[in-house]
Amino acid sequence: MADAQPAVEQVSAEVKRLKEMSHQTFFEAWATYVLGGVDPLAPRDVQAAAFRSPELASRTLVTADRAAREIKIVLPRGEGESKREYQARMNAFRTQLQAARQPVVETIEDLAADEAEYLAQLADEDFAAEWSAFVQQAAGSTRSGHNYVQGLAFRSLEVAPRTEALAVQMMRTPEDYLSSVAGERPKAHDARVAQLRSRLEAELRFLQYALNYSVARWGRMPSAPNHRLQAMRLLAEKHPEDFSELLNAVHADGKKAREEVRRQRRFERRSQARPAD
């Protein structure tokens, strides 16, 4: 027999209550829940359903990651508590945290699958608008995991190749994708471009992992990215005249080297053909 589920009305009310909390209050409510505490305003099964609900899953996951980082704040060492006892208590909390986190991750993954399906059917222009908004929003966020759902969707096996191609194009011409800001000074604009490039570089690393996985799961070894070739392509696109001069110089050096080799071979053949004295 399946476990009884809390009433939808109760969960909706708890979601609304948690949504209205400040970040710190939400953090404390999550820590209390993970530690097995009981909130007088909501039963534990109702809180569990609310924390993993689609409306709160991303916020809960960010909070769970913060709790893992700030474990000594969540669990201060007790007076007279030995180091071994304190370590055992922290280990127990990590286990509890992982167990509480897993249903939230499952919700995020389900939402990401739906989002990936939506992104895959978008026209190129609409897809570019979604990706540009996501990257710029993430670049301006001071919190990690700002949008888990869209991030996972863009890196999904169905969408990652398209995302990578667009990210590479944005790296080449970031100004084409940045929204204009009235009265923006050149330094501020350059800072926004640098911030966007930095975020794109991070996303491209994530995408490379996703694409490598899609290759490896078919029993093929992913090839390492050819950074030298990528740099050459960027140089050719951003500075075509300089690239052309360098390419001509390399060709000239190669031609000289080949001519030198031919002269050396002719000299050796003539030496061998001369009659001995």
Side-chain angles (χ1 to χ4, degrees):
M1 181 178 177
D3 294 336
Q5 297 297 315
V8 173
E9 295 79 7
Q10 285 182 293
V11 176
S12 297
E14 180 62 6
V15 167
K16 183 176 183 296
R17 185 175 78 95
L18 291 170
K19 270 186 174 181
E20 294 171 351
M21 289 181 177
S22 67
H23 293 309
Q24 184 58 32
T25 304
F26 188 92
F27 176 76
E28 292 167 0
W30 169 253
T32 299
Y33 168 77
V34 172
L35 288 167
V38 177
D39 191 310
L41 297 178
R44 281 187 59 80
D45 61 339
V46 172
Q47 274 206 311
F51 278 127
R52 68 172 181 263
S53 67
E55 299 92 333
L56 286 176
S58 288
R59 187 181 187 185
T60 304
L61 200 53
V62 170
T63 304
D65 291 345
R66 178 189 166 190
R69 292 193 308 271
E70 300 180 5
I71 187 169
K72 291 186 178 180
I73 296 176
V74 178
L75 287 180
R77 188 172 177 177
E79 186 177 351
E81 185 176 27
S82 70
K83 196 171 183 179
R84 179 175 294 181
E85 290 170 338
Y86 185 45
Q87 187 63 52
R89 201 155 57 90
M90 285 197 294
N91 290 341
F93 175 75
R94 290 190 180 98
T95 301
Q96 291 171 296
L97 183 61
Q98 185 62 30
R101 188 179 185 275
Q102 187 54 40
V104 181
V105 171
E106 291 171 2
T107 297
I108 294 288
E109 289 177 341
D110 289 342
L111 292 171
D114 291 340
E115 180 69 9
E117 185 177 346
Y118 165 74
L119 292 173
Q121 57 83 39
L122 289 178
D124 289 344
E125 186 176 347
D126 295 330
F127 184 85
E130 289 281 351
W131 170 249
S132 180
F134 167 74
V135 174
Q136 291 186 58
Q137 185 180 37
S141 173
T142 57
R143 291 177 286 123
S144 62
H146 187 67
N147 190 332
Y148 282 110
V149 173
Q150 265 207 316
L152 287 173
F154 279 120
R155 299 173 205 132
S156 66
L157 297 181
E158 298 79 10
V159 182
R162 191 180 186 186
T163 309
E164 186 193 40
L166 180 57
V168 169
Q169 181 59 38
M170 286 182 71
M171 281 287 287
R172 293 169 180 164
T173 57
E175 291 85 355
D176 293 348
Y177 298 88
L178 278 175
S179 55
S180 59
V181 176
E184 185 178 43
R185 295 183 178 181
K187 284 188 177 180
H189 178 75
D190 291 345
R192 281 204 301 143
V193 171
Q195 189 180 48
L196 179 60
R197 281 187 183 278
S198 176
R199 182 62 199 178
L200 284 167
E201 287 173 358
E203 286 296 334
L204 281 167
R205 287 194 293 272
F206 291 137
L207 288 165
Q208 191 61 57
Y209 287 130
L211 293 169
N212 282 353
Y213 169 76
S214 69
V215 173
R217 66 200 289 263
W218 288 97
R220 295 190 294 271
M221 184 64 69
S223 59
N226 191 332
H227 298 297
R228 180 175 296 180
L229 181 58
Q230 291 172 8
M232 287 174 61
R233 287 173 179 166
L234 286 174
L235 177 62
E237 291 177 5
K238 298 188 71 172
H239 304 284
E241 293 180 0
D242 292 342
F243 180 78
S244 180
E245 288 181 8
L246 289 171
L247 189 60
N248 289 336
V250 170
H251 285 164
D253 288 344
K255 185 177 180 181
K256 289 179 183 178
R258 288 193 297 272
E259 289 175 352
E260 182 61 33
V261 169
R262 291 193 191 102
R263 282 196 296 270
Q264 181 64 28
R265 288 176 178 170
R266 284 197 298 268
F267 174 78
E268 291 174 356
R269 284 197 299 270
R270 288 169 184 169
S271 298
Q272 292 172 1
R274 289 172 189 163
D277 292 339

